Amino acid sequence: MAEQLTPLADDRALLGRTSTAERVSDILRSRIAEGYFPPGTRLSEDSIGGALGVSRNTLREAFRLLTHERLLVHELNRGVFVRVLAVEDVEDIYRTRRLVECAVVRGLGEPPYALDGLAEAVAEGRRAAREGDWKGLGTANIHFHRELVALAGSERTDELMRSVFAELRLAFHVVDDPRRLHEPYLDRNEQLLRALSAGQRREAEHLLAGYLDDSLERVVEVYRRRVGEEA
């Protein structure tokens, strides 16, 4: 837990003088999405509150918000834990992704599109792969899809998918071979980027749908095996 709290202390500056439970929940959501708190981790009120410099009541409200988003669970007399997903949760996450991400691509107007964020996420993934940082590659992949959703220009869609992508990270943590999971999608991210750069919206949607279907099959296969081993 100590190494996970150090970045939180750095995040303290983000709170400013108007600290709120919503801002604390934003920080914790981001840290969960980036993999600092793996599934099953017990979140200490004293340690996290001290790292962020917030009151117990503020932190409890942030926990409540993240519990509502299905990222945390409260266990009576035990405390608050990062949620461990069931296989059905993983399948539902991908159903939501397919509905939203494909709709975003389908609804794009006439090109050119603002693709700088997507290009940077691809470059981030390439850097992580060169360094053998497979966890970082998974994070870059999530960044790619977050930037894809951002093309809709909708704050509500961004907010919805922030929680979905954070839940997705919980599923990734259970996978025992992150390279095998994430590396094949580097090239597919570039294919999507090229299609969008060329203004080929229908081709991009087709690529994306196949991409998400294949990713679902791969993640569920590994996840089902890992959950079965730990049962």
Side-chain angles (χ1 to χ4, degrees), residues 198-209:
Q200 298 171 341
R201 188 176 55 192
R202 289 185 179 179
E203 174 64 12
E205 183 184 354
H206 174 73
L207 289 171
L208 178 60

Side-chain angles (χ1 to χ4, degrees), residues 22 32 54 111 117 163 165 168 193:
E22 287 81 4
I32 291 170
V54 298
S163 295
F165 290 139
L168 181 64
L193 179 59

Side-chain angles (χ1 to χ4, degrees), residues 60-226:
R60 286 177 176 174
E61 176 61 14
F63 284 171
R64 188 192 68 78
L65 293 171
L66 295 177
T67 299
H68 181 69
E69 294 179 18
R70 298 176 299 278
L71 295 177
L72 303 180
V73 292
H74 180 268
E75 297 186 11
L76 189 62
N77 299 324
R78 294 194 64 220
V80 176
F81 295 79
V82 179
R83 189 162 173 244
V84 178
L85 302 182
V87 172
E88 292 77 14
D89 294 316
V90 177
E91 292 171 336
D92 193 39
I93 287 169
Y94 272 88
R95 277 194 296 270
T96 303
R97 291 186 66 194
R98 204 179 194 283
L99 284 169
V100 174
E101 294 186 49
C102 289
V104 167
V105 173
R106 190 182 317 122
L108 291 174
E110 293 301 314
Y113 309 122
L115 303 177
D116 288 350
L118 286 177
E120 175 53 36
V122 168
E124 178 188 354
R126 289 294 178 197
R127 288 193 297 270
R130 284 196 301 269
E131 296 167 4
D133 180 6
W134 308 117
K135 176 181 171 182
L137 177 55
T139 297
N141 192 39
I142 289 177
H143 289 168
F144 179 89
H145 289 274
R146 189 176 64 194
E147 293 294 336
L148 182 70
V149 169
L151 293 176
S154 166
E155 292 183 5
R156 291 173 178 82
T157 305
D158 290 344
E159 183 177 353
L160 165 68
M161 295 306 291
R162 249 196 324 267
S163 295
V164 171
F165 290 139
E167 280 193 272
L168 181 64
R169 171 60 90 175
L170 297 184
F172 286 170
H173 274 299
V174 177
V175 176
D176 56 353
D177 188 354
R179 177 176 185 174
R180 181 173 178 270
L181 177 66
H182 301 303
E183 193 173 33
Y185 297 98
L186 264 175
D187 289 340
R188 297 179 80 162
N189 285 346
E190 288 195 346
Q191 289 174 0
L192 271 167
L193 179 59
R194 285 196 299 269
L196 290 171
S197 297
Q200 298 171 341
R201 188 176 55 192
R202 289 185 179 179
E203 174 64 12
E205 183 184 354
H206 174 73
L207 289 171
L208 178 60
Y211 176 126
L212 292 175
D213 288 345
D214 290 346
S215 181
L216 169 61
E217 182 178 354
R218 181 183 295 259
V219 172
V220 166
E221 174 192 358
V222 176
Y223 201 85
R224 197 184 301 276
R225 185 179 69 249
R226 291 285 292 172

